[in-house]
Amino acid sequence: MSSPARGDLSPSYACHVFPADEFEVVSGANLGDPLMPLDELCPGDVYEFLPGAEALELAIHDGAAARAGSGQFLQPGARGQSVATGSEIGRPGESLRLEGRLTFMRPDGDTVDLLLIALTGAGGGAAQLVFVPMAPIEARQSYTLVKADPEPGEVRLTDITSVAFTRGTMITLGDGRQCPVEDLRPGDRVLTRDHGAQPLRWVGHRTVRAVGPFAPVVITKGTYANQSDLIVSQHQRLFLYQRGAQRLTETAELFVKALHLVDGEAVFLRAGGFVEYFHLVFDRHEIIYAECIPTESLLINERTLGQLPEEVLREVETHLPGLSHRPHFGTEAEGRLLRKLGPTALAKATNRD
C-alpha cells in the first residue's frame, strides 16, 4: 500500500496507541520479543505491559472517508488512511493497515482485546507496529495470547480515556460556591473563564479499572494553587499560563495534558482498584475551574466524537444531537517536546516552583 501524496494531511480523527515493543513476551516460544506481525505470534505466549509505557496520539488522515458524523473506522485492506500531521507517533503520509485483533486472557479469566496496526512508509521498509487496547491493561500483569484474528471486520477506534474528572472534584459554580462534580446536573450554572456563569448541558459518567492508561493523575494540593488534590484522567488538559523567558511555546496560554505534568512527587499516577470519571459538556468548549485550577470541559466536534468510548458516544448523540464546538484558543503542549524537556521545564515556564 503506497503512502498518499503529501498534500492535505490534516487530521480527520485520532486515537491513542502504544508502540508494540511496550508489550513483551515473558514466557513462551517468543520469550523476550515484543508484539510482532500475526504470522509470527504464538498462542500460549505470556505477555506483560511494560511499566512506564505512555500512550501516544496517532492522528489519522482519512482521505477516503465518506461517512458523516462521528465514525472513525479501520478495516483489513482499507485504503486512504494515513498518519496525519501533528501525530505523536509515525511520520505524516505513512499508510495505516489493520493487522488484526488479538485476544489475551488475564489470570482471573477475563479477556482483553488489542487492535494491532501497522504504519508503513512509501519505501516499503519494515512497518512500525502499534496497538490499541480495547479495555484497561496494566503493568506487571500477565496476559496470555489465546487468539489472533486477521479478519476482525470493521473496527471503530476509540480513545483510551477522554477528558474527565473523578468523583469528589470540586467545580466552581457561577455564584462562587464549590460543588462536587458528581452532584452537578444539566442546567446548573458553572463559572467559566470567558463567558461567566454558563448552564451545563450534559454530565457523563463511567467507571473503569484504574490501571495503565486508565489510572488517574493526582495533582497534589497547592501544586498549581489548587485548594485540594485534583484527580483527573490522564488526557484531561489544564489551562496554564507561561511567563517570562522560560516559555515553551509562542503563546502564553498553554493546554497541558495531566499526564505530562507527572513528576512522581507533586504529580503522580494513582493505579489500582476502580475509578469513576465524569464528563462535563457546555454549549461551547469552556475553561472551567476544578479545585480552582483552570481546566477544559469536554470538547465535542466531528473529530473528537469518534474518540469517545462507545457508551459515552451513544449518550452524547442522544442528548446533544448536532452539537459541535470550536476548540478554545490556546497552544497544545506538544507531547514529544514535554517528554524531552521533562516536567521541571514546564514548572519553570509556569512559575510553579
Side-chain angles (χ1 to χ4, degrees):
M1 186 186 302
S2 61
S3 294
R6 286 180 177 272
D8 176 19
L9 289 175
S10 58
S12 303
Y13 43 79
C15 66
H16 286 85
V17 303
F18 293 94
D21 57 10
E22 301 283 11
F23 207 52
E24 187 176 283
V25 178
V26 295
S27 177
N30 291 321
L31 180 64
D33 289 336
L35 278 178
M36 298 182 292
L38 264 65
D39 58 2
E40 299 180 45
L41 299 177
C42 293
D45 278 356
V46 180
Y47 288 75
E48 283 191 6
F49 189 46
L50 299 184
E54 181 180 342
L56 302 174
E57 185 177 74
L58 173 62
I60 300 171
H61 174 75
D62 195 341
R67 297 178 176 83
S70 60
Q72 54 181 67
F73 299 86
L74 284 180
Q75 59 185 19
R79 293 179 178 271
Q81 292 158 323
S82 59
V83 178
T85 54
S87 181
E88 292 186 336
I89 190 167
R91 289 179 292 190
E94 287 184 323
S95 296
L96 272 65
R97 182 179 69 251
L98 176 62
E99 290 284 290
R101 182 191 297 264
L102 309 179
T103 301
F104 293 85
M105 181 174 291
R106 295 161 44 100
D108 61 8
D110 285 348
T111 59
V112 176
D113 284 357
L114 308 182
L115 298 179
L116 190 62
I117 300 172
L119 312 181
T120 308
Q128 180 182 10
L129 294 177
V130 300
F131 68 90
V132 181
M134 306 300 286
I137 58 176
E138 56 189 303
R140 300 187 180 91
Q141 171 72 62
S142 61
Y143 296 88
T144 303
L145 179 64
V146 295
K147 184 180 179 182
D149 185 359
E151 296 294 337
E154 187 175 71
V155 294
R156 177 176 172 269
L157 298 175
T158 60
D159 205 351
I160 292 171
T161 176
S162 53
V163 170
F165 306 95
T166 60
R167 174 176 287 274
T169 300
M170 302 301 287
I171 305 297
T172 303
L173 300 180
D175 60 6
R177 290 182 296 122
Q178 302 293 306
C179 180
V181 66
E182 65 270 19
D183 290 344
L184 289 173
R185 298 292 182 268
D188 287 347
R189 299 183 71 81
V190 174
L191 181 64
T192 71
R193 174 185 178 272
D194 302 289
H195 303 107
Q198 290 296 313
L200 190 59
R201 286 285 304 276
W202 178 75
V203 181
H205 173 240
R206 65 193 296 242
T207 301
V208 297
R209 287 181 182 269
V211 297
F214 295 83
V217 174
V218 179
I219 302 170
T220 57
K221 178 180 177 180
T223 301
Y224 286 96
N226 42 314
Q227 298 296 303
S228 300
D229 290 353
L230 174 62
I231 308 174
V232 295
S233 66
Q234 293 183 25
H235 296 155
Q236 173 74 50
R237 297 187 303 174
L238 278 63
F239 193 69
L240 303 179
Y241 297 92
Q242 303 176 93
R243 301 172 178 84
Q246 301 290 339
R247 285 187 186 180
L248 302 181
T249 58
E250 291 184 1
T251 64
E253 298 170 319
L254 183 69
F255 277 116
V256 182
K257 291 179 182 178
L259 179 63
H260 294 144
L261 301 173
V262 171
D263 59 13
E265 296 179 1
V267 185
F268 59 91
L269 292 172
R270 189 177 72 186
F274 289 83
V275 60
E276 290 182 88
Y277 282 127
F278 294 83
H279 317 279
L280 303 181
V281 178
F282 298 83
D283 286 325
R284 305 179 185 90
H285 182 221
E286 299 282 8
I287 303 300
I288 63 175
Y289 297 89
E291 302 295 352
C292 298
I293 297 180
T295 185
E296 67 174 331
S297 64
L298 184 62
L299 173 64
I300 299 294
N301 59 30
E302 184 174 332
R303 176 183 174 187
T304 62
L305 266 176
Q307 296 176 238
L308 297 177
E310 190 69 41
E311 66 273 23
V312 178
L313 173 63
R314 287 196 299 268
E315 287 197 48
V316 169
E317 291 182 328
T318 298
H319 297 289
L320 305 169
L323 182 64
S324 182
H325 290 152
R326 179 177 298 177
H328 191 284
F329 174 80
T331 302
E332 171 80 47
E334 185 179 349
R336 287 174 177 170
L337 173 64
L338 294 182
R339 284 189 293 274
K340 179 180 178 181
L341 297 177
T344 300
L346 185 58
K348 291 181 179 178
T350 57
N351 286 348
R352 197 192 86 192
D353 55 355

